[in-house]
Amino acid sequence: MTSHNMTWISYPSKNPAFTSPEEIEDIIASQNIISRLMHCYIAFFVPTGLIAGICILIVLIKNYVQHKVIENLDLLLLHFTISNIIIIFLSFTVITRPDYLTATHLTCNVLSFFFNFSYFYSQYVFILMLVILLLKRFPPQTALCKATQRPILCVGIVLTYTFCLSLTEAVLAGTDNYHLETDCQLDPLFAWPEYEIIKFTFGFGIPLFLQILCFAVLLAKAAPAEAPALQQHIRTYPAPFVISVTMFMCRLFYNLMLLFRTSLKLQKSTGTTKNELVMNIAEIVLFCESCASLVFILCFHKPCKDEVLKVLQNCRRKTTASNHLEIPETNVPHESRSQ
């Protein structure tokens, strides 16, 4: 793989060649849009996602402490939740928008490594969830199916796999100019074109194929007679199915914008301010997906939903009890009648 000289690339909004009034107006309009979206994300999605994630961790860890055992699906949801919480914390890099975080190439590469690790890990842990759901409907018959019943082993394999992918992406982000400062995104603009191609292939293309395969088996294969009906199976485990739709829509948009940015790099073009705006929107949409996934787990996964309902019922009872407290009556002494 040949090294690429990416010193020529810059953000369109940072390009001093844009001096016409129309181009300046486009930059101002784009910056206003991305600034408002950033404020909406920070104000609404981040608190909701973090609160949901913390509640999920508390519920799952509490259940493990009480029962000294954790179901395979709950274990994978725990790892999925942690990876999405890390993505939410890394998304604080958008606070500086419409400007970009200023950092050295090395710092930006480190941030990109942890972001890619969480991004890949959440994707492949989710595929393990779908496999677990398949096993709950279809009894394991092969050695591969029996291996998937050992989630700790599977998680270890996925950790190793995602670490190697993230390390590869760190190398493809460029190995030169580590000491120079740059405008930093979690997917660096100065990365080589192969960076986006590898990320699309292993972070979206292959996982999407595996998800479609899982859903095809779930829908097309005849289940054993003792297995529950498909609709009942989906109603029992709704969270992964809801998350799959959200992940597909948000990550499709994001990865298409990554590929479009790659095409601009191959053409030696920096693009327009509109291209930059859409890429920034796609990045925030991806972060919103992490927040939404945690909310869906809290609302649709039965142990989490039951715990939330239990807390709400207790709060309602305490409120009702406090409203019905009897206020002790004070005896007013009768005035003596005058004779």
Side-chain angles (χ1 to χ4, degrees):
M1 185 181 298
T2 58
S3 178
H4 298 273
N5 181 13
M6 303 300 296
T7 56
W8 58 270
I9 198 166
S10 64
Y11 290 100
S13 61
K14 302 279 188 176
N15 193 339
F18 290 166
T19 54
S20 67
E22 292 80 7
E23 291 170 336
I24 294 175
E25 288 178 1
D26 289 342
I27 292 175
I28 295 173
S30 297
Q31 289 181 343
N32 285 336
I33 293 173
I34 196 63
S35 178
R36 290 174 183 177
L37 288 176
M38 181 272 294
H39 282 98
C40 290
Y41 168 72
I42 295 296
F44 298 105
F45 283 89
V46 169
T48 305
L50 288 178
I51 291 172
I54 292 171
C55 291
I56 294 167
L57 293 180
I58 292 173
V59 171
L60 296 180
I61 294 174
K62 177 184 174 183
N63 289 344
Y64 173 73
V65 171
Q66 289 179 346
H67 303 97
K68 301 302 180 183
V69 67
I70 185 169
E71 290 190 7
N72 295 344
L73 183 60
D74 288 351
L75 176 64
L76 296 178
L77 283 173
L78 180 65
H79 286 259
F80 183 80
T81 300
I82 294 173
S83 63
N84 279 282
I85 289 176
I86 294 173
I87 291 177
I88 294 174
F89 279 121
L90 290 173
S91 71
F92 282 108
T93 55
V94 303
I95 289 179
T96 57
R97 302 292 163 82
D99 202 356
Y100 295 92
L101 178 69
T102 302
T104 62
H105 281 66
L106 177 60
T107 303
C108 194
N109 225 339
V110 171
L111 290 174
S112 178
F113 171 84
F114 287 107
F115 170 63
N116 285 321
F117 184 86
S118 301
Y119 176 86
F120 289 130
Y121 188 64
S122 64
Q123 186 74 69
Y124 286 98
V125 165
F126 179 72
I127 293 172
L128 285 180
M129 285 188 223
L130 296 181
V131 174
I132 294 296
L133 293 183
L134 282 177
L135 293 178
K136 288 182 178 295
R137 183 164 170 79
F138 305 104
Q141 298 175 350
T142 65
L144 179 62
C145 292
K146 292 180 180 179
T148 55
Q149 288 187 312
R150 301 172 63 185
I152 296 179
L153 175 63
C154 295
V155 165
I157 295 173
V158 170
L159 278 171
T160 305
Y161 177 66
T162 52
F163 176 81
C164 294
L165 281 177
S166 304
L167 192 61
T168 303
E169 289 289 81
V171 173
L172 294 176
T175 55
D176 301 326
N177 305 319
Y178 276 144
H179 61 286
L180 297 180
E181 287 193 342
T182 184
D183 295 318
C184 180
Q185 272 185 295
L186 292 179
D187 282 310
L189 181 67
F190 56 82
W192 301 351
E194 291 87 352
Y195 174 95
E196 286 95 353
I197 295 173
I198 294 294
K199 185 159 188 175
F200 177 85
T201 304
F202 291 92
F204 183 75
I206 294 176
L208 178 62
F209 171 77
L210 295 175
Q211 289 179 39
I212 292 175
L213 186 62
C214 289
F215 283 119
V217 173
L218 183 65
L219 297 174
K221 186 177 179 181
E226 65 274 9
L230 179 60
Q231 293 181 352
Q232 178 63 32
H233 182 70
I234 295 175
R235 283 197 295 266
T236 306
Y237 307 102
F241 297 102
V242 177
I243 293 172
S244 65
V245 177
T246 309
M247 289 182 68
F248 170 75
M249 294 173 60
C250 297
R251 299 199 177 199
L252 174 64
F253 177 44
Y254 181 72
N255 280 273
L256 288 177
M257 292 304 102
L258 278 181
L259 285 184
F260 181 73
R261 192 171 77 171
T262 305
S263 67
L264 293 176
K265 289 180 181 180
L266 295 175
Q267 299 169 15
K268 297 293 182 179
S269 171
T270 57
T272 64
T273 53
K274 186 177 293 186
N275 301 143
E276 182 182 359
L277 170 64
V278 176
M279 186 65 221
N280 278 291
I281 293 174
E283 187 179 34
I284 291 181
V285 167
L286 179 70
F287 297 147
C288 291
E289 177 262 315
S290 294
C291 300
S293 295
L294 296 180
V295 173
F296 290 147
I297 294 173
L298 186 64
C299 295
F300 292 104
H301 187 53
K302 191 175 187 306
C304 299
K305 181 178 67 175
D306 291 346
E307 191 68 26
V308 170
L309 292 176
K310 181 180 177 182
V311 171
L312 292 177
Q313 289 175 356
N314 290 336
C315 293
R316 186 179 303 173
R317 288 171 184 170
K318 290 180 180 179
T319 304
T320 305
S322 62
N323 289 336
H324 289 79
L325 285 176
E326 293 185 359
I327 302 176
E329 295 182 356
T330 56
N331 294 325
V332 180
H334 294 286
E335 296 181 354
S336 60
R337 293 181 180 180
S338 60
Q339 296 294 331

